[in-house]
Amino acid sequence: MNFQPASAQKLYPDIVWKRLFADLDRDGQGLNIQIRRTIVCAIEQGVLTNGTRLPSSRRLAVLLGVARNTVTAAYQLLIDEGFLASRERSGIFVAASTSRIAVGPDRQDAGDGKWAGRFAIRPSDLRQIDKPRNWLDYPYPFLFGQFDPAIFPTNNWREAMRATSSVKEIYGWAGDRVDDDDPDLVEQLRLQVLPKRGIFAEPDEIIVTIGSQHALSMLVQLFVGSKTVVGVEDPGYTDIRNMAGMATSNLRMLAVDHRGVVPDAELSECEIALLTIGHQCPTTAVMPLQRRRELLELAERDDVILVEDDYEADLLLEGEAELPCLKSLDENGRVIYVGSFSKALAPGLRIGYIVAPRSVIAELRVLRRIMLRHPPTNNQRILATFIALGHYRLHLKKTGAILRRRADLISGLLPEVLPGFRWRRDAGAKSFWIEGPPDFDSGCLARAAREKGVLIEPGDIFFADPETGRRFFRLGFTAIGETRIEAGLRLLGDLVSR
């Protein structure tokens, strides 16, 4: 906002207040909170100066089209916090003691040029998955790993938040736990989450992480030196390939077929392999039981550590069953299990976990403490309460039924809208892996589709050789509402037919 405030104790014209509150979102946070945030921000930035008089609560309510009680409550809280002051028979003013941040013009970092030669690594040079930050603004987001706000269990999550916000509860989670986790969450993992995957672990065999990405990063730091032989799937998860590639010069690309990673000689030479067993990323392949046993036999024979990234666990689509995870079949302590709540609940929650032998968890705790001490305990406690109240199980059941309908709808439409293409979606997967004809370029399609409001994920990013994946793309369905699927797919089909 560029307007300049009038002199102190002069009431601004109505247009000024309308502009100040122009971004009020009727569907966003509570209006009381938005009004307070706007006023505080204007004070801190010097837009509202000391002694500036605010409109009466009645007048501002009329200007903003909100209830007067909403404005009155906002004003009172800001008075209590010292941002505003009430003067008898005069009105509400910006408090004289309020500090402000000096806001200068935007400028480039004066020393920007000197930094390029000082970086030990250049992560920005790595190939990375590109998803628009404002994907929610697109009408047809066929993206994997995002969530549909319409099916998030808002009321049940709020109940869990309220239950953990009493004074006693706050005392319980507000302190520094050093390198410990919230015991309630660890207990809920042991009682309600892990047993469904066939895993029975003691508390000292579990560590909480800030999502599975953090878990995988810590494991790479702990186990991978500059000469360690590390296996990653090809095609596979891009960031796993990037993490391992930055840590070692001995990166091996492991073959993947229609049953997942192949337990061959290349895998036998690895010291550690980072794998997606339940649903191979990105092909969705579910590794059959026999191959899982072959994989465990290879790991024991050739002394290979297997990291199982079970990123799509828990959220089963109605009527579809999943095989026991690799960790549940492991009798020799070869498998380290990584789980997450991102796909089943919400990616923004950023809570994951690792299940591993005690000695591994002990080292991970020290490593995590050095990095960030521990994940936010309030978030851990809220999630633990959400699970303990039965909300998590109910959410999985409801969401599984919704996603099954979406998957069936897409399966029925694909032969019509994408003739000449092949696709797969193994049981329980939340995306389709689609292969076009030899001359098809998914990157070109993705760019054209984005202009039409349709978001898909080109497949080249998942391959070590981008050219190999040029004709593939991934079609997710967790973020798009059922009523928009057909229109989005037909738009995609029209673009392909041209």
Side-chain angles (χ1 to χ4, degrees):
M1 188 179 304
N2 296 319
F3 69 83
Q4 295 297 320
S7 60
Q9 300 192 24
K10 180 178 179 181
L11 185 62
Y12 293 174
D14 291 348
I15 185 63
V16 169
W17 299 107
K18 288 182 177 179
R19 289 174 63 189
L20 183 66
F21 292 96
D23 294 331
L24 213 61
D25 183 1
R26 309 285 166 172
D27 298 320
Q29 284 185 317
L31 294 173
N32 175 302
I33 294 174
Q34 291 187 62
I35 291 170
R36 286 157 53 198
R37 287 184 59 165
T38 301
I39 293 173
V40 170
C41 183
I43 291 172
E44 296 289 358
Q45 293 183 349
V47 174
L48 297 180
T49 58
N50 294 345
T52 300
R53 183 181 175 188
L54 278 73
S56 67
S57 58
R58 186 188 302 277
R59 184 60 188 159
L60 187 58
V62 171
L63 292 174
L64 303 184
V66 302
R68 184 185 179 187
N69 287 345
T70 300
V71 178
T72 302
Y75 276 179
Q76 187 57 55
L77 283 167
L78 291 175
I79 290 171
D80 294 342
E81 293 171 357
F83 288 95
L84 302 180
S86 176
R87 300 178 189 172
E88 191 174 356
R89 297 194 182 90
S90 298
I92 306 294
F93 297 82
V94 175
S97 61
T98 304
S99 61
R100 294 182 303 279
I101 300 172
V103 180
D106 293 339
R107 63 181 180 84
Q108 275 194 325
D109 186 339
D112 191 55
K114 71 176 68 171
W115 293 107
R118 306 297 295 272
F119 297 137
I121 58 173
R122 293 297 294 265
S124 61
D125 289 343
L126 300 171
R127 294 166 55 223
Q128 302 174 57
I129 295 174
D130 178 28
K131 295 180 184 180
R133 298 292 195 272
N134 63 332
W135 64 268
L136 270 172
D137 296 334
Y138 287 77
Y140 310 109
F142 289 101
L143 297 178
F144 176 78
Q146 301 300 340
F147 83 122
D148 181 355
I151 59 177
F152 182 79
T154 304
N155 291 333
N156 289 342
W157 186 257
R158 285 175 174 169
E159 182 186 16
M161 291 179 64
R162 289 193 296 269
T164 57
S165 298
S166 67
V167 173
K168 182 179 180 180
E169 283 289 324
I170 291 172
Y171 285 169
W173 57 250
D176 180 8
R177 302 195 68 89
V178 188
D179 59 9
D180 286 341
D181 295 310
D182 180 69
D184 284 359
L185 180 56
V186 172
E187 190 67 4
Q188 292 307 315
L189 285 169
R190 295 181 62 237
L191 294 178
Q192 295 204 46
V193 177
L194 291 173
K196 291 177 60 180
R197 309 296 297 138
I199 300 173
F200 300 91
E202 295 301 319
D204 56 0
E205 296 174 320
I206 301 170
I207 186 172
V208 178
T209 63
I210 303 180
S212 59
Q213 194 94 343
H214 176 221
L216 294 166
S217 177
M218 286 206 303
L219 290 170
V220 168
Q221 290 184 65
L222 186 63
F223 286 105
V224 180
S226 61
K227 300 299 181 182
T228 306
V229 183
V230 180
V232 297
E233 299 165 329
D234 187 26
Y237 182 41
T238 310
D239 284 343
I240 284 286
R241 186 174 67 238
N242 288 339
M243 286 179 200
M246 287 192 296
T248 181
S249 58
N250 285 328
L251 189 62
R252 304 293 173 85
M253 298 299 154
L254 304 178
V256 172
D257 65 14
H258 66 286
R259 295 184 294 172
V261 70
V262 180
D264 57 11
E266 189 80 6
L267 181 54
S268 294
E269 295 176 0
C270 296
E271 296 172 71
I272 183 170
L274 306 164
L275 308 174
T276 51
I277 305 296
H279 291 106
Q280 201 279 328
C281 174
T283 68
T284 82
V286 174
M287 183 179 289
L289 192 58
Q290 180 57 35
R291 179 169 288 190
R292 297 183 189 212
R293 292 195 172 110
E294 292 172 5
L295 191 60
L296 289 170
E297 290 172 4
L298 179 150
E300 180 64 16
R301 182 189 70 225
D302 299 318
D303 194 20
V304 183
I305 296 172
L306 302 178
V307 175
E308 179 182 16
D309 179 9
D310 204 9
Y311 64 97
E312 274 197 314
D314 280 352
L315 192 53
L316 297 179
L317 276 60
E318 189 174 82
E320 295 180 337
E322 284 192 84
L323 295 172
C325 68
L326 193 67
K327 177 68 174 175
S328 70
L329 304 172
D330 177 27
E331 297 179 353
N332 300 303
R334 287 280 166 192
V335 179
I336 295 175
Y337 182 87
V338 174
S340 171
F341 292 93
S342 294
K343 305 297 184 292
L345 198 51
L349 185 60
R350 307 313 310 152
I351 293 184
Y353 51 91
I354 299 171
V355 182
R358 292 177 176 83
S359 58
V360 175
I361 295 298
E363 295 297 332
L364 287 171
R365 287 202 179 281
V366 178
L367 176 61
R368 190 188 66 180
R369 179 181 59 78
I370 293 170
M371 295 169 62
L372 50 81
R373 299 187 80 78
H374 57 78
T377 318
N378 59 326
N379 292 347
Q380 295 186 53
R381 182 65 59 86
I382 293 168
L383 178 58
T385 305
F386 183 82
I387 297 171
L389 291 173
H391 295 327
Y392 185 55
R393 179 175 296 183
L394 178 63
H395 168 71
L396 296 179
K397 182 178 180 180
K398 289 183 175 179
T399 304
I402 292 170
L403 295 184
R404 178 58 188 264
R405 291 197 300 270
R406 295 180 186 180
D408 290 345
L409 178 59
I410 294 172
S411 296
L413 287 168
L414 283 177
E416 178 184 352
V417 299
L418 293 177
F421 283 64
R422 298 193 300 176
W423 57 86
R424 71 177 298 169
R425 186 195 73 84
D426 283 28
K430 286 78 181 176
S431 63
F432 288 77
W433 183 240
I434 301 179
E435 179 183 0
D439 59 346
F440 173 68
D441 188 333
S442 64
C444 290
L445 176 63
R447 289 187 291 272
R450 187 166 174 171
E451 293 181 1
K452 299 291 185 180
V454 182
L455 298 178
I456 62 172
E457 297 177 73
D460 60 337
I461 192 66
F462 299 103
F463 290 80
D465 177 6
E467 185 62 25
T468 306
R470 183 175 57 85
R471 68 181 187 277
F472 296 91
F473 68 93
R474 184 163 67 175
L475 195 78
F477 54 87
T478 56
I480 183 169
E482 186 176 342
T483 58
R484 297 193 174 199
I485 286 175
E486 182 171 357
L489 287 180
R490 293 196 181 281
L491 275 173
L492 202 61
D494 288 343
L495 289 169
V496 170
S497 66
R498 295 175 196 172

